[in-house]
């Protein structure tokens, strides 16, 4: 078992809090999920992404001990095999579902419920519940009963209940799926900060690519019960391993960087290599800049500086050409990394685009979509247990 | 009409004056029903819960048996219990036929399927996600059961009321195994039967009023508990 634990930790910056190898979930003779390898480490957000029915929830329940599975599951260095092991796993982790599933008591009672079930009592119980309520900004709701809460409030209570126990791993199964977009955005922004400050490992299941980009460090893309591609979030989004993954993620290019908001809306997106993009964003901080290939215009010559609508003019080199339906996908390289452009065949011929060619890529500042992302970092527990 | 008014007046006279025999009968009714209900709950709620939460071969058959039992005619239960407790029957040695104990046994058998069946239904209408959430919070089997009971308390109290209603108003089985012996095994329902058959309608009606008051007040108390914390609509 030690060997398995070691081999699963290979290539990871930190030893995995939870690791699975050759995990198989079968019901009534039918194999639902088969996963060769899955790990999540302290302070990391691992997103399981995929369409409905891909087996994401089934995998999550095998990982958190709610469902029986064949194969190796190692939690904090120890194998999980028996029902007793699974209870130990459940008592060190927490789960948030799409629905809040609050118990018939007050908000405080709910936040305390996980602690009580783990035999925390006395002043410790109150202190940790208070800290969790504060963390999610719901202290003012503490004495309310579940019936009067909005969907967003209820989900905050559910998350506070999960964080109050200071779990080694928190599992979230489509936690934003029943919330309206504004509620979703504010909750994701809060969670991004909360997770950045803590050492809890996070397994986040979603079908939503924006959500994955906003919260994830790593992503495992699932289809038909298997993880078909896994890796760093930008790596996977920029290099889909198959057309099935590409169809789901889209063909946009994702650049990692930092937004710097300036005066009079002049925002800059700073890339690691020192390159800069002009963009529109309402908040500074780490983010992804998403450039859709159809929004990239290729030019032979640098345009006249007077043309205000083309804010970014990037000298770029053609790397390769790929047929994409009736168009060509032109893969380019520039100072900031990668860039793709989608051109009609006629435009390609007109420009006589070929690998090695040096061109100018023009992208409007308004065409660059900026998605704030979480700040990496390993801190302490949520509730300093 | 005169008959009814006279009966009602007599009922309140008996109640207000504190007629010892009437109170004795009412108290025995309450005692038998409460004991039977308590035993049925202690046995039936865990069984109903287990039936709701577990999966095993033959489970469906058991559920059908329970559901059939919910509608079992009390006289049939009475006859079976009487046969078992008869002096020459398998349990004749206990020597409890025509005692309050025998009546309690019969009523437990009437209430038990109701309690099991309604507990099963109450627990099954809970969302599967709630069960998983409670498990993920760190509950073992026992605490899962307790928390689910609390979540299902509204339909569970309906089960308690249904079972209480069935036993307090039941007459066939208690008559058969208790024998309606005055001062010993006579309860409200059997006394009403006897008064009616002897033409003493006023006395019978008085006892009916007491029976209804008893049923109303216990159900009122349980409804208050049930609806506590529920939003008024």
């Amino acid at each position: 078992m030690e060997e398995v634990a070691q081999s699963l930790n290979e290539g990871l910056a930190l030893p995995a809090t939870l690791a699975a190898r050759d995990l198989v979930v079968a019901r009534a003779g039918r194999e639902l999920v088969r996963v060769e390898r899955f790990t999540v480490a302290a302070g990391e957000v691992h997103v399981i992404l995929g369409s409905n029915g891909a087996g994401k929830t089934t995998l999550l329940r095998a990982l958190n001990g709610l469902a029986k599975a064949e194969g190796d599951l190692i939690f904090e260095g120890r194998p999980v095999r028996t029902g007793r092991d699974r209870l130990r796993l459940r008592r060190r982790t927490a789960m948030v579902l799409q629905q809040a599933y609050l118990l018939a008591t007050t908000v405080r009672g709910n936040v305390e419920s996980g602690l009580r079930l783990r035999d925390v009592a006395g002043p410790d119980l109150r202190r940790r519940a208070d800290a969790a309520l504060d963390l999610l900004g719901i202290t003012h709701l503490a004495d309310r009963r579940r019936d009067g809460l909005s969907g967003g409030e209820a989900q905050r209570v559910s998350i506070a209940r999960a964080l109050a126990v200071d779990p080694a791993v928190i599992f979230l199964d489509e936690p934003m799926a029943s919330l309206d977009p504004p509620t979703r955005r504010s909750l994701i922004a809060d969670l991004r900060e909360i997770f950045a400050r803590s050492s809890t490992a996070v397994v986040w299941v979603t079908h939503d690519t924006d959500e994955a980009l906003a919260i994830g460090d790593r992503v495992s893309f699932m289809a038909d019960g298997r993880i078909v591609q896994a890796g760093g979030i930008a790596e996977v989004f920029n290099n889909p391993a198959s057309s099935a993954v590409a169809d789901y993620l889209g063909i946009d290019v994702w650049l990692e960087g930092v937004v710097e908001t300036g005066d009079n809306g002049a925002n800059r997106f700073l890339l690691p290599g020192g390159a800069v993009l002009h963009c529109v964003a309402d908040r500074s901080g780490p983010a992804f800049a998403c450039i859709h290939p159809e929004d990239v215009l290729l030019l032979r010559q640098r345009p006249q500086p007077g043309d205000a609508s083309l804010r970014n003019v990037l000298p770029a080199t053609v790397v390769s050409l790929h047929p994409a339906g009736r168009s060509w996908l032109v893969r380019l390289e520039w100072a900031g990394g990668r860039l793709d452009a989608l051109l009609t065949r006629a435009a390609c011929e007109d420009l006589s685009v070929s690998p090695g060619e040096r061109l100018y890529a023009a992208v409007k500042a308004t065409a660059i979509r900026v998605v704030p992302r979480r700040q990496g970092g390993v801190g302490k527990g949520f509730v300093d247990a | 009409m005169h008959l009814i008014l006279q009966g009602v007046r007599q009922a309140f006279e008996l109640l207000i004056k504190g007629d010892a025999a009437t109170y004795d009968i009412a108290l025995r009714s309450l005692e038998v029903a409460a004991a039977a209900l308590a035993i049925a709950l202690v046995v039936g709620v865990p069984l109903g819960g287990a039936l709701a939460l577990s999966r095993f071969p033959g489970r469906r058959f058991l559920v059908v048996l329970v559901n059939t039992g919910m509608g079992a005619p009390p006289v049939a239960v009475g006859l079976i219990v009487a046969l078992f407790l008869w002096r020459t029957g398998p349990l004749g040695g206990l020597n409890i036929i025509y005692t309050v104990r025998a009546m309690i046994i019969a009523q437990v058998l009437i209430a038990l399927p109701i309690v099991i069946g309604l507990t099963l239904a109450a627990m099954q209408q809970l969302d599967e996600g709630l069960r998983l959430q409670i498990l993920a919070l760190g509950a073992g089997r026992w605490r899962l059961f307790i928390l689910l009971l609390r979540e299902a308390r509204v339909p569970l109290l309906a089960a308690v009321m249904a079972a209480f209603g069935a036993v307090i108003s039941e007459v066939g089985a208690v008559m058969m195994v208790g024998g309606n012996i005055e001062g010993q095994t006579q309860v409200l329902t059997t006394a009403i039967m006897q008064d009616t058959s002897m033409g003493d309608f006023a006395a019978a009606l008085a006892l009916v009023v007491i029976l209804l008051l008893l049923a109303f007040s216990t159900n009122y108390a349980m409804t208050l508990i049930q609806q506590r914390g529920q939003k008024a609509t």
Side-chain angles (χ1 to χ4, degrees):
Chain A
M1 211 27 132
E2 204 125 291
E3 260 170 58
V4 175
Q6 238 163 38
S7 77
L8 279 166
N9 281 329
E10 258 168 46
L12 294 179
L14 291 163
T17 305
L18 183 71
R21 194 169 72 173
D22 295 325
L23 207 63
V24 178
V25 183
R27 291 284 174 276
R30 209 165 68 86
E31 199 174 286
L32 301 176
V33 160
R34 176 178 285 274
V35 163
E36 283 171 28
R37 185 172 189 271
F38 183 93
T39 60
V40 64
E44 177 187 57
V45 179
H46 193 149
V47 171
I48 301 174
L49 182 64
S51 55
N52 293 330
K56 305 187 297 292
T57 295
T58 308
L59 172 60
L60 183 140
R61 287 179 190 169
L63 290 173
N64 79 347
L66 281 176
K68 281 185 195 167
E70 296 286 313
D72 298 320
L73 186 63
I74 294 139
F75 175 61
E76 293 183 326
R78 284 161 64 187
V80 179
R81 289 204 191 95
T82 61
R84 185 182 284 264
D85 293 339
R86 283 197 296 276
L87 181 62
R88 182 178 68 89
L89 173 62
R90 294 207 312 267
R91 289 218 166 140
R92 291 275 300 122
T93 60
M95 180 173 77
V96 173
L97 295 167
Q98 180 177 341
Q99 263 182 277
Y101 290 117
L102 300 185
L103 303 174
T105 171
T106 58
V107 165
R108 171 179 292 282
N110 269 286
V111 174
E112 286 177 351
S113 62
L115 292 164
R116 285 180 197 278
L117 284 168
R118 291 160 205 230
D119 303 317
V120 176
D124 214 26
L125 176 72
R126 201 175 169 82
R127 185 179 57 79
R128 289 171 68 170
D130 280 340
L133 285 165
D134 182 51
L135 200 61
L136 269 297
I138 48 170
T139 306
H140 62 289
L141 300 175
D143 298 321
R144 292 263 291 274
R145 296 191 72 84
R146 63 174 174 186
D147 314 272
L149 302 175
S150 72
E153 287 169 340
Q155 195 62 319
R156 279 181 184 266
V157 176
S158 173
I159 294 169
R161 175 173 65 183
L163 295 183
V165 301
D166 214 355
V169 186
I170 178 169
F171 298 90
L172 301 103
D173 193 354
E174 299 277 10
M176 304 289 145
S178 7
L179 305 179
D180 56 69
T183 309
R184 193 180 304 186
R185 275 194 294 275
S186 81
L187 190 49
I188 285 188
D190 286 359
L191 287 179
R192 227 171 13 227
E193 275 185 30
I194 290 170
F195 290 156
R197 287 203 307 265
S198 96
S199 63
T200 293
V202 181
V203 176
W204 183 298
V205 164
T206 183
H207 67 275
D208 188 299
T209 51
D210 281 6
E211 206 175 294
L213 284 158
I215 204 83
D217 296 311
R218 282 204 292 152
V219 61
S220 287
F221 187 85
M222 276 191 93
D224 295 326
R226 285 160 192 266
I227 293 177
V228 292
Q229 192 178 358
I233 204 118
E235 178 195 333
V236 170
F237 272 72
N238 285 327
N239 307 289
S242 64
S243 58
V245 182
D247 282 350
Y248 199 89
L249 302 182
I251 52 170
D252 303 343
V253 168
W254 295 89
L255 301 167
E256 284 181 81
V258 179
V259 174
E260 197 185 77
T261 47
D263 300 330
N264 50 50
N267 300 320
R268 286 147 40 100
F269 187 83
L270 311 176
L271 289 115
V276 175
L277 284 174
H278 299 284
C279 65
V280 179
D282 48 14
R283 206 184 330 191
S284 356
F288 282 111
C290 167
I291 304 174
H292 189 71
E294 280 183 40
D295 294 327
V296 178
L297 201 63
L298 291 185
L299 306 163
R300 276 246 154 249
Q301 251 123 56
R302 185 176 272 277
Q304 295 303 312
D307 193 347
S309 64
L310 296 175
R311 292 292 303 276
N312 296 291
V313 179
L314 317 165
T317 312
V318 177
V319 177
S320 54
L321 282 109
H322 308 270
R326 299 171 71 175
S327 315
W328 287 88
L329 189 71
V330 183
R331 190 144 288 177
L332 304 141
E333 242 188 42
W334 67 290
R338 217 183 90 182
L339 197 61
D340 288 354
L342 202 62
L343 267 68
T344 61
R345 280 164 199 275
C348 268
E349 277 166 24
D350 196 38
L351 281 163
S352 69
V353 176
S354 59
E357 200 83 37
R358 299 176 73 86
L359 298 164
Y360 290 95
V363 190
K364 283 184 191 176
T366 48
I368 297 177
R369 194 154 69 93
V370 176
V371 181
R373 68 179 304 239
R374 82 179 215 93
Q375 205 146 15
V378 174
K380 294 211 301 199
F382 300 107
V383 184
D384 70 283
Chain B
M1 199 59 209
H2 172 70
L3 208 58
I4 295 170
L5 285 178
Q6 194 189 343
V8 172
R9 192 180 332 117
Q10 195 176 340
F12 282 101
E13 271 172 24
L14 286 171
L15 275 175
I16 292 158
K17 279 185 197 155
D19 178 70
T22 309
Y23 270 108
D24 184 51
I25 293 171
L27 215 60
R28 190 174 301 112
S29 264
L30 201 58
E31 186 188 307
V32 171
L37 182 66
I39 295 169
L41 287 176
V42 167
V43 178
V45 170
L47 281 180
L51 215 48
L53 295 177
S54 59
R55 297 286 175 272
F56 55 88
R59 177 182 170 276
R60 190 162 300 188
F61 180 70
L62 273 180
V63 174
V64 172
L65 271 189
V66 168
N67 286 338
T68 309
M70 284 171 76
V75 277
V77 176
L79 177 63
I80 292 164
V81 174
L83 287 176
F84 268 84
L85 297 180
W86 203 252
R87 308 237 184 270
T88 54
L91 299 175
L94 294 176
N95 216 10
I96 55 169
I97 186 89
Y98 300 138
T99 64
V100 166
R101 278 191 194 176
M103 291 155 72
I104 293 173
I105 291 172
Q107 296 217 319
V108 165
L109 293 179
I110 291 166
L112 197 55
I114 298 174
V115 172
I116 297 176
L118 293 182
T119 302
L120 172 71
M123 301 278 265
Q124 272 185 334
Q125 54 93 40
L126 292 173
D127 199 312
E128 165 77 359
L130 180 68
R131 190 179 71 84
L132 293 172
Q133 180 66 75
I134 293 172
L135 283 174
L137 282 171
R141 272 163 180 267
W142 177 245
R143 298 218 262 193
L144 170 70
F145 174 64
I146 299 293
L147 281 172
L148 288 178
L149 278 187
R150 214 175 69 182
E151 291 301 313
R153 71 193 183 295
V154 173
L156 273 177
L157 275 157
V160 176
M161 287 187 259
F164 182 77
V167 292
I168 193 85
S169 63
E170 190 278 322
V171 58
V174 283
M175 182 74 97
M176 289 168 88
V177 303
N180 191 28
I181 303 165
E182 242 170 83
Q184 286 180 36
T185 62
Q186 190 168 58
V187 289
L188 284 169
T189 50
T190 54
I192 291 164
M193 289 271 287
Q194 187 181 322
D195 286 348
T196 308
S197 66
M198 296 196 313
D200 193 351
F201 296 121
L205 201 53
L207 293 176
V208 164
V209 170
I210 293 171
L211 181 60
L212 288 177
L213 276 177
L214 213 56
F216 178 79
S217 51
T218 48
N219 276 306
Y220 184 73
M222 283 190 272
T223 307
L224 282 187
I225 299 171
Q226 185 191 43
Q227 302 297 322
R228 198 176 52 191
Q230 300 291 308
K231 267 207 292 189
T233 45

